[in-house]
Amino acid sequence: MSKTNKCPISLRAKSIEPYEKIVGKQVVEKLKNMSKRLKGKSWTHLNSTYQGGGVAEMLQNQIPLLRGLGIDAQWHVIEGNQKFFEVTKKFHNALQGVSQEFSLDDLFETYLGTIYDNAKKIRIEADMVTIHDPQPVAIITHARIFGHVLWRCHIDTSEADKKIWRFLHPYLNHYSGAIFTIPEFVKEDIQIPVYEIAPAIDPLHPKNKLRDRKQALNDLAALFKKNNIDPERPIIAAVSRYDIHKNQKGIIKAFKLLKKNLSSKISPLLIIMGNTASDDPEGEEMYKKMQKLAGGDKDIHLLLNVKNNDQVVGSLIHLAECFVHISTKEGFGLVVTEALWQGTPVIGSNIGGIPRQVIDKETGYLVKPDDYELVAKNMKKILEDKQLAKEMGKKGQEHVRNNYLLPHKLIKELQLMEYYLDGSKRAPGFRINDVSYYEINRKYYGRSQWPFTRKEFKSKIRKLKNA
Ligand code: UDP
Protein backbone atom coordinates (compact mmCIF):
# COMPACT_ATOMS: atom_id res chain seq x y z
CA MET A 1 0.00 0.00 0.00
CA SER A 2 1.03 3.59 -0.45
CA LYS A 3 2.43 5.25 2.64
CA THR A 4 2.25 8.69 1.12
CA ASN A 5 -1.10 10.47 0.91
CA LYS A 6 -3.81 9.75 3.40
CA CYS A 7 -7.39 10.09 2.24
CA PRO A 8 -8.94 13.14 3.96
CA ILE A 9 -12.48 11.79 3.53
CA SER A 10 -14.17 9.22 5.71
CA LEU A 11 -14.54 5.96 3.80
CA ARG A 12 -16.43 4.08 6.50
CA ALA A 13 -18.39 1.06 5.29
CA LYS A 14 -21.96 1.83 4.20
CA SER A 15 -24.90 -0.54 3.99
CA ILE A 16 -26.57 -1.36 0.67
CA GLU A 17 -30.03 -1.71 2.28
CA PRO A 18 -31.11 1.96 2.00
CA TYR A 19 -30.67 1.74 -1.79
CA GLU A 20 -33.49 -0.73 -2.09
CA LYS A 21 -36.21 1.92 -2.06
CA ILE A 22 -34.45 3.76 -4.86
CA VAL A 23 -33.29 1.02 -7.26
CA GLY A 24 -35.61 -1.81 -6.21
CA LYS A 25 -35.26 -5.11 -4.40
CA GLN A 26 -34.01 -7.09 -7.38
CA VAL A 27 -30.90 -4.96 -7.87
CA VAL A 28 -30.00 -4.97 -4.19
CA GLU A 29 -30.56 -8.73 -3.83
CA LYS A 30 -28.34 -9.36 -6.82
CA LEU A 31 -25.55 -7.31 -5.27
CA LYS A 32 -25.92 -9.07 -1.95
CA ASN A 33 -25.72 -12.50 -3.56
CA MET A 34 -22.67 -11.61 -5.60
CA SER A 35 -20.92 -10.11 -2.62
CA LYS A 36 -21.50 -13.25 -0.56
CA ARG A 37 -19.40 -15.12 -3.10
CA LEU A 38 -16.72 -12.42 -3.03
CA LYS A 39 -16.60 -11.77 0.70
CA GLY A 40 -13.14 -10.83 1.93
CA LYS A 41 -11.70 -10.32 -1.55
CA SER A 42 -9.81 -7.10 -2.06
CA TRP A 43 -10.04 -4.30 -4.60
CA THR A 44 -7.64 -1.37 -4.56
CA HIS A 45 -8.03 1.81 -6.60
CA LEU A 46 -5.24 4.18 -7.54
CA ASN A 47 -5.68 7.63 -9.09
CA SER A 48 -4.16 11.07 -8.80
CA THR A 49 -6.46 13.03 -6.49
CA TYR A 50 -8.78 12.45 -3.55
CA GLN A 51 -10.82 15.55 -4.34
CA GLY A 52 -12.08 17.35 -7.44
CA GLY A 53 -13.45 15.88 -10.65
CA GLY A 54 -15.64 12.91 -11.43
CA VAL A 55 -13.21 10.09 -10.59
CA ALA A 56 -12.63 11.25 -7.02
CA GLU A 57 -16.35 11.88 -6.68
CA MET A 58 -17.17 8.31 -7.72
CA LEU A 59 -14.52 6.67 -5.55
CA GLN A 60 -15.65 8.61 -2.48
CA ASN A 61 -19.05 6.97 -2.86
CA GLN A 62 -18.08 3.57 -4.15
CA ILE A 63 -15.37 2.56 -1.64
CA PRO A 64 -17.66 2.75 1.44
CA LEU A 65 -20.37 0.77 -0.32
CA LEU A 66 -17.94 -1.95 -1.45
CA ARG A 67 -16.70 -2.15 2.14
CA GLY A 68 -20.29 -2.48 3.32
CA LEU A 69 -20.68 -5.41 0.92
CA GLY A 70 -17.74 -7.17 2.55
CA ILE A 71 -15.11 -6.33 -0.07
CA ASP A 72 -11.80 -5.04 1.24
CA ALA A 73 -11.75 -1.85 -0.84
CA GLN A 74 -8.81 0.55 -0.63
CA TRP A 75 -7.96 3.81 -2.35
CA HIS A 76 -4.55 5.40 -2.88
CA VAL A 77 -3.34 8.36 -4.88
CA ILE A 78 -0.02 9.14 -6.49
CA GLU A 79 1.83 12.33 -5.58
CA GLY A 80 3.25 14.85 -7.98
CA ASN A 81 4.37 18.45 -8.11
CA GLN A 82 2.81 21.23 -10.18
CA LYS A 83 5.06 20.43 -13.15
CA PHE A 84 4.00 16.77 -13.13
CA PHE A 85 0.33 17.73 -13.20
CA GLU A 86 0.96 20.25 -15.97
CA VAL A 87 2.43 17.44 -18.05
CA THR A 88 -0.34 14.97 -17.19
CA LYS A 89 -2.93 17.64 -18.01
CA LYS A 90 -1.28 17.81 -21.42
CA PHE A 91 -1.58 14.00 -21.62
CA HIS A 92 -5.25 14.35 -20.81
CA ASN A 93 -5.76 16.95 -23.53
CA ALA A 94 -3.65 15.07 -26.09
CA LEU A 95 -5.47 11.81 -25.43
CA GLN A 96 -8.69 13.68 -26.15
CA GLY A 97 -7.29 14.72 -29.50
CA VAL A 98 -5.98 18.21 -28.71
CA SER A 99 -2.53 18.71 -30.12
CA GLN A 100 0.09 19.43 -27.42
CA GLU A 101 3.85 19.87 -27.43
CA PHE A 102 5.85 17.43 -25.33
CA SER A 103 9.58 17.68 -24.75
CA LEU A 104 11.66 14.64 -23.87
CA ASP A 105 12.10 16.20 -20.42
CA ASP A 106 8.30 16.35 -20.02
CA LEU A 107 7.96 12.66 -20.80
CA PHE A 108 11.03 11.19 -19.16
CA GLU A 109 12.20 13.59 -16.42
CA THR A 110 8.93 15.02 -15.23
CA TYR A 111 6.45 12.25 -15.97
CA LEU A 112 8.43 9.03 -15.62
CA GLY A 113 10.67 10.57 -12.92
CA THR A 114 7.61 11.23 -10.76
CA ILE A 115 6.23 7.79 -11.53
CA TYR A 116 9.53 6.21 -10.38
CA ASP A 117 9.40 8.25 -7.14
CA ASN A 118 5.86 7.07 -6.48
CA ALA A 119 6.71 3.52 -7.43
CA LYS A 120 9.29 3.36 -4.65
CA LYS A 121 6.58 3.96 -2.05
CA ILE A 122 3.71 1.96 -3.50
CA ARG A 123 3.05 -1.64 -2.51
CA ILE A 124 -0.30 -3.02 -3.51
CA GLU A 125 -1.34 -6.61 -3.23
CA ALA A 126 -5.01 -7.11 -3.97
CA ASP A 127 -7.28 -9.44 -5.89
CA MET A 128 -8.24 -6.60 -8.19
CA VAL A 129 -6.52 -3.27 -8.76
CA THR A 130 -7.90 -0.39 -10.81
CA ILE A 131 -5.63 2.36 -11.99
CA HIS A 132 -7.55 5.39 -13.17
CA ASP A 133 -6.84 7.64 -16.13
CA PRO A 134 -3.52 8.61 -17.70
CA GLN A 135 -1.75 10.23 -14.71
CA PRO A 136 -0.65 7.00 -12.97
CA VAL A 137 -0.77 4.72 -16.02
CA ALA A 138 2.97 3.95 -16.26
CA ILE A 139 3.14 2.84 -12.64
CA ILE A 140 2.11 -0.64 -13.83
CA THR A 141 5.62 -1.55 -14.93
CA HIS A 142 7.47 0.06 -12.01
CA ALA A 143 5.63 -0.31 -8.70
CA ARG A 144 5.12 -3.40 -6.59
CA ILE A 145 1.55 -4.04 -7.67
CA PHE A 146 0.24 -7.57 -7.63
CA GLY A 147 -3.24 -8.68 -8.67
CA HIS A 148 -5.47 -8.40 -11.72
CA VAL A 149 -4.72 -4.84 -12.70
CA LEU A 150 -7.22 -2.93 -14.84
CA TRP A 151 -6.81 0.46 -16.46
CA ARG A 152 -9.95 2.55 -16.05
CA CYS A 153 -10.07 5.14 -18.77
CA HIS A 154 -12.60 7.91 -18.08
CA ILE A 155 -11.83 9.93 -21.17
CA ASP A 156 -12.36 9.69 -24.91
CA THR A 157 -9.15 8.30 -26.42
CA SER A 158 -10.61 7.51 -29.82
CA GLU A 159 -8.81 10.41 -31.50
CA ALA A 160 -5.74 10.36 -29.25
CA ASP A 161 -2.74 12.30 -30.44
CA LYS A 162 -0.36 9.81 -32.10
CA LYS A 163 2.76 10.85 -30.21
CA ILE A 164 1.30 10.50 -26.75
CA TRP A 165 -0.48 7.30 -27.67
CA ARG A 166 2.81 5.80 -28.85
CA PHE A 167 4.37 6.75 -25.51
CA LEU A 168 1.57 5.31 -23.35
CA HIS A 169 0.50 2.34 -25.47
CA PRO A 170 3.19 -0.10 -24.24
CA TYR A 171 2.12 0.54 -20.64
CA LEU A 172 -1.53 -0.11 -21.44
CA ASN A 173 -0.79 -3.49 -22.85
CA HIS A 174 0.71 -4.57 -19.52
CA TYR A 175 -2.71 -4.39 -17.87
CA SER A 176 -5.03 -7.37 -17.39
CA GLY A 177 -7.82 -5.39 -18.99
CA ALA A 178 -9.23 -1.92 -19.56
CA ILE A 179 -12.58 -0.36 -18.77
CA PHE A 180 -13.99 2.36 -20.97
CA THR A 181 -17.15 4.43 -20.57
CA ILE A 182 -18.48 3.70 -24.04
CA PRO A 183 -17.11 1.55 -26.89
CA GLU A 184 -16.64 4.55 -29.17
CA PHE A 185 -13.83 5.78 -26.89
CA VAL A 186 -11.64 2.74 -27.44
CA LYS A 187 -8.72 3.18 -29.76
CA GLU A 188 -8.61 0.14 -31.98
CA ASP A 189 -5.08 -1.05 -31.26
CA ILE A 190 -5.59 -1.93 -27.60
CA GLN A 191 -4.58 -5.56 -27.30
CA ILE A 192 -6.04 -6.41 -23.90
CA PRO A 193 -9.62 -7.30 -22.92
CA VAL A 194 -11.80 -4.20 -22.97
CA TYR A 195 -15.01 -3.69 -20.99
CA GLU A 196 -17.75 -1.07 -21.14
CA ILE A 197 -18.94 0.30 -17.81
CA ALA A 198 -20.69 3.65 -17.54
CA PRO A 199 -20.02 5.82 -14.51
CA ALA A 200 -22.78 6.32 -11.97
CA ILE A 201 -23.85 8.61 -9.16
CA ASP A 202 -24.66 7.74 -5.59
CA PRO A 203 -28.29 8.71 -4.95
CA LEU A 204 -27.64 8.84 -1.20
CA HIS A 205 -24.73 11.25 -1.42
CA PRO A 206 -25.67 14.67 0.05
CA LYS A 207 -25.33 16.19 -3.41
CA ASN A 208 -27.78 13.74 -4.95
CA LYS A 209 -30.40 13.37 -2.29
CA LEU A 210 -33.76 14.37 -3.68
CA ARG A 211 -34.92 17.65 -2.15
CA ASP A 212 -37.77 20.11 -2.48
CA ARG A 213 -37.55 23.79 -3.35
CA LYS A 214 -37.69 24.85 0.28
CA GLN A 215 -34.72 22.67 1.25
CA ALA A 216 -32.80 23.82 -1.81
CA LEU A 217 -33.40 27.48 -0.97
CA ASN A 218 -32.27 26.84 2.56
CA ASP A 219 -28.99 25.25 1.40
CA LEU A 220 -28.37 28.17 -0.95
CA ALA A 221 -29.42 31.01 1.35
CA ALA A 222 -25.95 32.05 2.52
CA LEU A 223 -24.38 31.81 -0.92
CA PHE A 224 -27.21 33.72 -2.60
CA LYS A 225 -27.04 36.44 0.04
CA LYS A 226 -23.30 36.80 -0.29
CA ASN A 227 -23.52 37.09 -4.08
CA ASN A 228 -26.67 39.14 -4.17
CA ILE A 229 -28.64 36.49 -6.08
CA ASP A 230 -32.42 36.79 -6.18
CA PRO A 231 -33.80 33.22 -5.74
CA GLU A 232 -37.12 34.19 -7.31
CA ARG A 233 -35.55 34.78 -10.72
CA PRO A 234 -35.35 31.76 -13.06
CA ILE A 235 -31.92 30.15 -12.94
CA ILE A 236 -29.90 28.62 -15.73
CA ALA A 237 -27.14 26.62 -14.10
CA ALA A 238 -23.86 25.05 -15.13
CA VAL A 239 -21.43 23.21 -12.87
CA SER A 240 -17.99 21.91 -13.81
CA ARG A 241 -14.27 22.42 -13.42
CA TYR A 242 -13.09 25.62 -15.08
CA ASP A 243 -11.55 23.98 -18.11
CA ILE A 244 -11.32 24.73 -21.81
CA HIS A 245 -13.28 21.61 -22.77
CA LYS A 246 -16.15 22.38 -20.42
CA ASN A 247 -16.89 25.32 -22.72
CA GLN A 248 -18.06 27.81 -20.12
CA LYS A 249 -17.32 30.38 -22.81
CA GLY A 250 -20.07 28.89 -24.99
CA ILE A 251 -22.56 28.96 -22.13
CA ILE A 252 -21.90 32.64 -21.47
CA LYS A 253 -22.24 33.47 -25.18
CA ALA A 254 -25.51 31.52 -25.45
CA PHE A 255 -26.88 33.24 -22.36
CA LYS A 256 -26.10 36.65 -23.81
CA LEU A 257 -27.97 35.66 -26.99
CA LEU A 258 -30.90 34.41 -24.92
CA LYS A 259 -31.22 37.72 -23.11
CA LYS A 260 -31.56 39.55 -26.42
CA ASN A 261 -34.49 37.31 -27.44
CA LEU A 262 -36.53 37.12 -24.26
CA SER A 263 -39.58 39.14 -23.34
CA SER A 264 -39.01 41.42 -20.37
CA LYS A 265 -41.37 39.23 -18.31
CA ILE A 266 -38.71 36.55 -17.95
CA SER A 267 -35.48 37.69 -16.47
CA PRO A 268 -33.13 34.73 -15.96
CA LEU A 269 -29.82 34.48 -14.18
CA LEU A 270 -26.89 32.39 -15.29
CA ILE A 271 -25.02 30.75 -12.44
CA ILE A 272 -21.83 28.95 -13.35
CA MET A 273 -20.33 27.07 -10.47
CA GLY A 274 -16.90 25.58 -10.72
CA ASN A 275 -14.04 24.16 -8.79
CA THR A 276 -10.39 23.53 -9.32
CA ALA A 277 -8.89 20.06 -8.89
CA SER A 278 -5.44 19.54 -7.38
CA ASP A 279 -4.40 17.59 -10.49
CA ASP A 280 -5.61 20.36 -12.81
CA PRO A 281 -3.41 23.47 -12.80
CA GLU A 282 -5.34 25.35 -15.51
CA GLY A 283 -8.49 26.05 -13.49
CA GLU A 284 -7.75 29.43 -11.91
CA GLU A 285 -6.59 30.92 -15.17
CA MET A 286 -9.73 29.75 -16.97
CA TYR A 287 -11.89 31.22 -14.21
CA LYS A 288 -10.28 34.64 -14.71
CA LYS A 289 -10.83 34.40 -18.46
CA MET A 290 -14.51 33.68 -17.92
CA GLN A 291 -14.87 36.65 -15.58
CA LYS A 292 -13.45 38.82 -18.30
CA LEU A 293 -15.84 37.36 -20.87
CA ALA A 294 -18.85 37.91 -18.60
CA GLY A 295 -17.78 41.55 -18.67
CA GLY A 296 -19.46 42.62 -15.44
CA ASP A 297 -22.95 41.46 -16.58
CA LYS A 298 -24.95 41.46 -13.34
CA ASP A 299 -27.09 38.53 -14.51
CA ILE A 300 -24.06 36.27 -14.75
CA HIS A 301 -22.59 34.81 -11.57
CA LEU A 302 -19.32 32.91 -11.77
CA LEU A 303 -18.63 31.07 -8.54
CA LEU A 304 -15.46 29.28 -7.59
CA ASN A 305 -14.85 26.61 -4.92
CA VAL A 306 -18.04 27.33 -2.95
CA LYS A 307 -18.47 26.36 0.71
CA ASN A 308 -20.63 23.30 1.48
CA ASN A 309 -20.02 22.25 -2.09
CA ASP A 310 -22.20 19.13 -2.14
CA GLN A 311 -25.37 20.63 -0.66
CA VAL A 312 -24.94 23.78 -2.68
CA VAL A 313 -24.32 22.02 -6.01
CA GLY A 314 -27.21 19.61 -5.53
CA SER A 315 -29.56 22.40 -4.50
CA LEU A 316 -28.52 24.74 -7.30
CA ILE A 317 -29.08 21.99 -9.86
CA HIS A 318 -32.46 21.22 -8.31
CA LEU A 319 -33.57 24.83 -8.25
CA ALA A 320 -32.46 25.61 -11.80
CA GLU A 321 -35.04 25.69 -14.57
CA CYS A 322 -32.45 24.34 -16.91
CA PHE A 323 -28.93 22.89 -16.70
CA VAL A 324 -26.39 23.46 -19.46
CA HIS A 325 -23.39 21.23 -20.20
CA ILE A 326 -22.03 21.81 -23.68
CA SER A 327 -18.51 20.41 -23.38
CA THR A 328 -16.38 20.15 -26.49
CA LYS A 329 -14.79 16.97 -25.08
CA GLU A 330 -16.34 14.85 -22.40
CA GLY A 331 -15.88 11.41 -20.92
CA PHE A 332 -19.32 10.90 -19.48
CA GLY A 333 -20.27 14.08 -17.67
CA LEU A 334 -21.32 12.90 -14.23
CA VAL A 335 -22.71 16.33 -13.59
CA VAL A 336 -25.27 15.70 -16.34
CA THR A 337 -26.35 12.57 -14.48
CA GLU A 338 -26.65 14.63 -11.30
CA ALA A 339 -28.76 17.27 -13.00
CA LEU A 340 -31.11 14.74 -14.62
CA TRP A 341 -31.44 12.96 -11.28
CA GLN A 342 -32.55 16.24 -9.68
CA GLY A 343 -35.33 16.40 -12.27
CA THR A 344 -33.82 19.29 -14.22
CA PRO A 345 -33.84 19.25 -18.04
CA VAL A 346 -30.36 19.39 -19.55
CA ILE A 347 -29.11 21.12 -22.67
CA GLY A 348 -26.09 18.98 -23.47
CA SER A 349 -23.62 18.70 -26.31
CA ASN A 350 -23.61 15.64 -28.57
CA ILE A 351 -20.16 14.71 -27.27
CA GLY A 352 -18.77 11.64 -25.46
CA GLY A 353 -21.16 10.11 -22.96
CA ILE A 354 -23.60 13.03 -22.91
CA PRO A 355 -25.94 11.65 -25.65
CA ARG A 356 -26.34 8.47 -23.58
CA GLN A 357 -27.94 10.65 -20.96
CA VAL A 358 -29.52 13.58 -22.75
CA ILE A 359 -32.09 12.14 -25.09
CA ASP A 360 -33.05 14.90 -27.47
CA LYS A 361 -36.49 16.39 -26.76
CA GLU A 362 -37.04 13.75 -24.07
CA THR A 363 -34.71 14.46 -21.15
CA GLY A 364 -33.46 17.76 -22.58
CA TYR A 365 -31.90 18.98 -25.81
CA LEU A 366 -28.81 17.81 -27.65
CA VAL A 367 -26.79 20.41 -29.49
CA LYS A 368 -23.45 20.89 -31.16
CA PRO A 369 -21.17 22.51 -28.59
CA ASP A 370 -20.60 25.58 -30.76
CA ASP A 371 -24.21 26.10 -31.81
CA TYR A 372 -24.81 28.91 -29.33
CA GLU A 373 -27.95 30.06 -31.14
CA LEU A 374 -29.56 26.67 -30.70
CA VAL A 375 -28.46 26.55 -27.06
CA ALA A 376 -30.11 29.94 -26.52
CA LYS A 377 -33.26 28.84 -28.38
CA ASN A 378 -33.54 25.73 -26.20
CA MET A 379 -32.94 27.73 -23.03
CA LYS A 380 -35.84 29.94 -24.11
CA LYS A 381 -38.13 26.95 -24.78
CA ILE A 382 -37.46 25.53 -21.34
CA LEU A 383 -37.92 28.86 -19.58
CA GLU A 384 -41.18 29.58 -21.38
CA ASP A 385 -42.83 26.16 -21.07
CA LYS A 386 -42.86 25.00 -17.46
CA GLN A 387 -44.94 21.91 -18.23
CA LEU A 388 -42.50 20.75 -20.88
CA ALA A 389 -39.61 21.33 -18.50
CA LYS A 390 -41.36 19.31 -15.80
CA GLU A 391 -42.02 16.38 -18.11
CA MET A 392 -38.45 16.36 -19.38
CA GLY A 393 -37.16 16.51 -15.83
CA LYS A 394 -39.26 13.52 -14.83
CA LYS A 395 -38.08 11.45 -17.78
CA GLY A 396 -34.49 12.37 -17.05
CA GLN A 397 -34.79 11.24 -13.47
CA GLU A 398 -36.22 7.86 -14.50
CA HIS A 399 -33.51 7.43 -17.11
CA VAL A 400 -30.89 7.83 -14.38
CA ARG A 401 -32.81 5.64 -11.93
CA ASN A 402 -32.78 2.78 -14.44
CA ASN A 403 -29.22 3.11 -15.68
CA TYR A 404 -26.79 5.35 -13.87
CA LEU A 405 -27.01 4.83 -10.14
CA LEU A 406 -24.14 3.36 -8.17
CA PRO A 407 -25.71 -0.09 -7.56
CA HIS A 408 -25.95 -0.65 -11.36
CA LYS A 409 -22.26 0.06 -11.73
CA LEU A 410 -21.29 -2.12 -8.78
CA ILE A 411 -23.12 -5.09 -10.27
CA LYS A 412 -20.96 -4.85 -13.38
CA GLU A 413 -17.77 -4.43 -11.37
CA LEU A 414 -18.49 -7.41 -9.15
CA GLN A 415 -19.28 -9.44 -12.28
CA LEU A 416 -15.86 -8.46 -13.54
CA MET A 417 -14.28 -9.47 -10.26
CA GLU A 418 -15.95 -12.88 -10.41
CA TYR A 419 -14.78 -13.27 -13.97
CA TYR A 420 -11.16 -12.52 -13.14
CA LEU A 421 -11.09 -14.54 -9.95
CA ASP A 422 -12.78 -17.55 -11.49
CA GLY A 423 -11.22 -18.04 -14.91
CA SER A 424 -13.75 -20.69 -15.86
CA LYS A 425 -16.58 -18.16 -16.14
CA ARG A 426 -17.75 -16.74 -19.45
CA ALA A 427 -16.71 -13.18 -20.22
CA PRO A 428 -19.32 -10.70 -19.02
CA GLY A 429 -21.71 -9.35 -21.66
CA PHE A 430 -20.16 -5.90 -21.43
CA ARG A 431 -16.76 -7.10 -22.65
CA ILE A 432 -16.50 -5.29 -25.95
CA ASN A 433 -13.73 -7.17 -27.67
CA ASP A 434 -14.97 -10.58 -26.72
CA VAL A 435 -14.55 -13.60 -28.95
CA SER A 436 -18.06 -13.03 -30.26
CA TYR A 437 -16.73 -9.87 -31.88
CA TYR A 438 -14.20 -11.92 -33.75
CA GLU A 439 -17.02 -14.11 -34.93
CA ILE A 440 -19.00 -11.10 -36.04
CA ASN A 441 -15.92 -9.76 -37.72
CA ARG A 442 -15.54 -13.02 -39.62
CA LYS A 443 -19.20 -12.98 -40.58
CA TYR A 444 -19.35 -9.37 -41.71
CA TYR A 445 -15.86 -8.82 -43.01
CA GLY A 446 -14.61 -12.30 -43.84
CA ARG A 447 -11.51 -12.14 -41.67
CA SER A 448 -10.61 -13.01 -38.15
CA GLN A 449 -7.80 -10.69 -37.28
CA TRP A 450 -7.92 -7.82 -34.82
CA PRO A 451 -7.59 -4.85 -35.24
CA PHE A 452 -10.65 -3.64 -37.10
CA THR A 453 -10.63 -0.22 -38.56
CA ARG A 454 -12.26 2.34 -36.33
CA LYS A 455 -15.19 2.71 -38.71
CA GLU A 456 -15.81 -1.02 -38.77
CA PHE A 457 -15.51 -1.24 -35.03
CA LYS A 458 -18.12 1.46 -34.52
CA SER A 459 -20.56 0.00 -37.02
CA LYS A 460 -20.14 -3.45 -35.51
CA ILE A 461 -21.05 -2.15 -32.11
CA ARG A 462 -24.07 -0.35 -33.52
CA LYS A 463 -25.21 -3.61 -35.16
CA LEU A 464 -24.74 -5.52 -31.93
CA LYS A 465 -26.68 -2.93 -30.00
CA ASN A 466 -29.55 -3.02 -32.50
CA ALA A 467 -29.57 -6.82 -32.77
N1 UDP B 1 -18.31 19.45 -9.10
C1 UDP B 1 -18.56 19.95 -7.85
N2 UDP B 1 -18.38 21.29 -7.63
C2 UDP B 1 -17.98 22.13 -8.60
C3 UDP B 1 -17.73 21.60 -9.91
C4 UDP B 1 -17.91 20.26 -10.12
O1 UDP B 1 -18.96 19.22 -6.94
O2 UDP B 1 -17.83 23.33 -8.33
C5 UDP B 1 -18.51 18.01 -9.31
C6 UDP B 1 -19.71 17.68 -10.18
O3 UDP B 1 -20.91 17.80 -9.41
C7 UDP B 1 -19.38 16.26 -10.63
C8 UDP B 1 -17.85 16.29 -10.74
O4 UDP B 1 -17.42 17.41 -9.97
O5 UDP B 1 -19.74 15.33 -9.63
C9 UDP B 1 -17.41 16.47 -12.18
O6 UDP B 1 -17.53 15.27 -12.87
P1 UDP B 1 -17.72 15.23 -14.44
O7 UDP B 1 -17.73 13.80 -14.86
O8 UDP B 1 -18.92 16.03 -14.82
O9 UDP B 1 -16.47 15.99 -15.02
P2 UDP B 1 -14.86 15.84 -14.83
O10 UDP B 1 -14.46 16.94 -13.91
O11 UDP B 1 -14.59 14.47 -14.27
O12 UDP B 1 -14.32 16.05 -16.21
Side-chain angles (χ1 to χ4, degrees):
M1 71 172 235
S2 163
K3 293 193 191 98
T4 50
N5 287 314
K6 222 175 158 311
C7 180
I9 305 137
S10 161
L11 298 171
R12 251 205 336 257
K14 260 182 13 187
S15 163
I16 188 72
E17 302 291 345
Y19 290 80
E20 192 173 307
K21 61 178 188 305
I22 304 170
V23 290
K25 197 174 165 84
Q26 215 184 348
V27 171
V28 169
E29 283 303 312
K30 190 166 181 181
L31 266 175
K32 284 205 262 185
N33 286 334
M34 293 173 96
S35 62
K36 266 187 218 147
R37 300 194 287 270
L38 294 166
K39 207 168 177 59
K41 301 287 182 205
S42 50
W43 197 322
T44 296
H45 291 265
L46 181 73
N47 76 323
S48 61
T49 178
Y50 283 122
Q51 272 163 320
V55 177
E57 187 84 19
M58 253 187 310
L59 290 176
Q60 287 169 19
N61 299 320
Q62 163 165 348
I63 303 274
L65 207 49
L66 279 172
R67 290 181 176 177
L69 285 165
I71 309 288
D72 174 13
Q74 303 292 336
W75 178 10
H76 303 300
V77 302
I78 55 161
E79 284 183 329
N81 59 18
Q82 162 106 0
K83 210 163 157 214
F84 172 76
F85 287 119
E86 275 164 15
V87 172
T88 57
K89 184 72 204 271
K90 285 203 287 180
F91 279 14
H92 180 101
N93 291 339
L95 284 171
Q96 300 214 96
V98 181
S99 165
Q100 305 275 301
E101 288 299 316
F102 291 99
S103 66
L104 286 182
D105 277 356
D106 283 348
L107 298 178
F108 292 91
E109 252 61 64
T110 306
Y111 179 68
L112 284 183
T114 309
I115 289 293
Y116 298 149
D117 290 344
N118 276 279
K120 284 182 209 144
K121 299 173 205 153
I122 289 174
R123 299 173 72 91
I124 295 173
E125 189 174 355
D127 292 299
M128 302 292 291
V129 181
T130 307
I131 297 192
H132 295 260
D133 275 342
Q135 297 92 336
V137 70
I139 205 102
I140 180 81
T141 51
H142 302 292
R144 283 154 290 192
I145 300 180
F146 190 73
H148 297 283
V149 191
L150 304 173
W151 184 52
R152 188 13 166 150
C153 180
H154 296 270
I155 55 180
D156 177 356
T157 60
S158 57
E159 308 290 339
D161 173 85
K162 283 200 176 84
K163 188 171 175 183
I164 202 63
W165 190 250
R166 192 166 58 229
F167 177 71
L168 294 178
H169 189 244
Y171 297 106
L172 302 185
N173 284 326
H174 278 272
Y175 283 79
S176 312
I179 305 174
F180 282 78
T181 297
I182 53 175
E184 292 92 316
F185 288 179
V186 185
K187 213 163 159 58
E188 57 268 31
D189 57 353
I190 286 202
Q191 289 141 13
I192 53 176
V194 178
Y195 308 93
E196 174 189 7
I197 302 183
I201 57 165
D202 181 354
L204 295 182
H205 186 269
K207 188 187 289 178
N208 301 319
K209 73 171 201 287
L210 296 178
R211 60 256 285 165
D212 57 27
R213 184 176 165 85
K214 196 168 153 212
Q215 288 162 325
L217 283 173
N218 202 28
D219 284 341
L220 291 164
L223 181 80
F224 278 14
K225 191 166 173 218
K226 184 173 159 209
N227 290 281
N228 217 359
I229 295 172
D230 176 358
E232 295 312 317
R233 288 175 65 185
I235 293 170
I236 293 174
V239 178
S240 67
R241 286 179 289 111
Y242 283 97
D243 175 281
I244 185 149
H245 291 132
K246 299 295 179 184
N247 198 11
Q248 280 107 349
K249 178 177 106 185
I251 302 174
I252 294 173
K253 284 189 174 172
F255 181 74
K256 290 192 170 184
L257 282 176
L258 167 78
K259 285 212 300 179
K260 280 193 200 147
N261 295 319
L262 269 182
S263 75
S264 58
K265 272 192 277 167
I266 305 176
S267 140
L269 292 172
L270 172 65
I271 303 183
I272 299 187
M273 198 172 272
N275 57 7
T276 47
S278 58
D279 63 347
D280 178 2
E282 290 171 1
E284 301 253 350
E285 199 185 317
M286 185 55 64
Y287 174 65
K288 284 183 196 141
K289 275 191 191 156
M290 291 308 108
Q291 277 182 316
K292 212 164 155 194
L293 184 69
D297 185 330
K298 292 220 163 43
D299 297 333
I300 302 178
H301 295 267
L302 297 170
L303 308 175
L304 179 67
N305 295 332
V306 294
K307 276 196 197 144
N308 298 327
N309 176 77
D310 294 339
Q311 278 83 354
V312 162
V313 167
S315 289
L316 176 73
I317 291 175
H318 173 86
L319 204 63
E321 312 291 318
C322 153
F323 187 81
V324 190
H325 197 72
I326 50 170
S327 313
T328 52
K329 294 274 175 191
E330 190 60 80
F332 189 66
L334 265 184
V335 74
V336 171
T337 331
E338 291 161 358
L340 294 173
W341 179 238
Q342 288 298 331
T344 303
V346 176
I347 299 174
S349 51
N350 55 354
I351 297 289
I354 298 174
R356 294 285 206 278
Q357 308 187 67
V358 178
I359 302 161
D360 194 34
K361 302 187 185 67
E362 294 279 321
T363 65
Y365 293 102
L366 265 187
V367 296
K368 288 194 186 134
D370 58 355
D371 194 345
Y372 310 136
E373 291 213 3
L374 187 58
V375 175
K377 220 164 122 187
N378 289 328
M379 286 173 172
K380 186 165 183 269
K381 272 195 215 158
I382 292 173
L383 289 178
E384 287 177 347
D385 190 341
K386 286 207 181 287
Q387 188 54 30
L388 172 84
K390 202 169 156 191
E391 280 161 21
M392 282 182 162
K394 221 165 156 192
K395 281 186 193 156
Q397 195 176 66
E398 284 318 293
H399 186 49
V400 173
R401 189 192 304 280
N402 295 329
N403 297 289
Y404 301 120
L405 295 182
L406 189 52
H408 302 127
K409 177 168 169 280
L410 289 187
I411 285 182
K412 283 192 167 179
E413 294 190 346
L414 294 191
Q415 265 177 300
L416 206 52
M417 194 175 203
E418 285 196 306
Y419 172 55
Y420 272 94
L421 299 189
D422 175 5
S424 62
K425 276 195 178 294
R426 273 168 57 91
F430 51 90
R431 176 160 166 190
I432 58 177
N433 57 355
D434 201 329
V435 69
S436 57
Y437 280 68
Y438 287 92
E439 281 161 12
I440 283 165
N441 198 38
R442 251 202 308 272
K443 196 165 154 198
Y444 286 107
Y445 304 105
R447 57 188 147 83
S448 57
Q449 289 300 306
W450 183 268
F452 318 112
T453 65
R454 180 165 162 65
K455 211 168 144 208
E456 289 167 352
F457 185 65
K458 273 185 162 176
S459 105
K460 199 151 25 65
I461 283 157
R462 254 196 313 275
K463 277 183 190 142
L464 265 189
K465 291 237 146 108
N466 296 332

